[in-house]
Amino acid sequence: MIYGIGTDVCSISRMGDAVQRHGDRFAQRVLGAEEIVEYHRRFAKVRQRGIHYLATRFAAKEAFSKAIGLGIHSPMRWRDCEILKLPSGQPIIVLHEALKDWCEARSLRFLVSVSDEADTALAMVVAEVTASLNT
């Protein structure tokens, strides 16, 4: 059963401007531990690749917060929601701390899709209930 659906579109140039103004502080605030490693790897190789990565993760976290109906309010915290990849390249959502507990209490699982092109990053998240809420 679908619990919620969220989408978000993000301007990649806006992410670049945030990085220009705030340096690593912006990425550190938004990205989780595994994401920040990947961001730095991509940024060091080609700055724009890092910015695209940051924008897709930002959009996916916004979409996730909409799918669960909380927005960016407790227990939803940026760093506790990571958008990682399986070896196949499929994006997945990995949760931590109170956000993980909140979602597990509701028996939620997630499907996520991210894409970027030119100056736009797009993400969609579907939250599904995996078990009966009455058990």
Side-chain angles (χ1 to χ4, degrees), residues 106-118:
R106 288 157 181 78
S107 300
L108 298 179
R109 75 172 179 171
F110 306 97
L111 302 168
V112 59
S113 180
V114 296
S115 187
D116 62 285
E117 182 66 37

Side-chain angles (χ1 to χ4, degrees), residues 65-83:
S65 73
K66 294 170 185 176
I68 63 173
L70 291 178
I72 308 298
H73 295 93
S74 184
M76 173 56 194
R77 296 184 319 174
W78 293 107
R79 293 178 47 84
D80 290 341
C81 174
E82 290 192 277
I83 314 306

Side-chain angles (χ1 to χ4, degrees), residues 99-108 132-133:
L99 182 58
K100 179 179 180 180
D101 296 339
W102 189 89
C103 290
E104 285 178 353
R106 288 157 181 78
S107 300
L108 298 179
S132 172
L133 293 176

Side-chain angles (χ1 to χ4, degrees), residues 1-13:
M1 174 174 78
I2 292 179
Y3 182 88
I5 299 171
T7 61
D8 194 68
V9 176
C10 177
S11 163
I12 294 170
S13 61

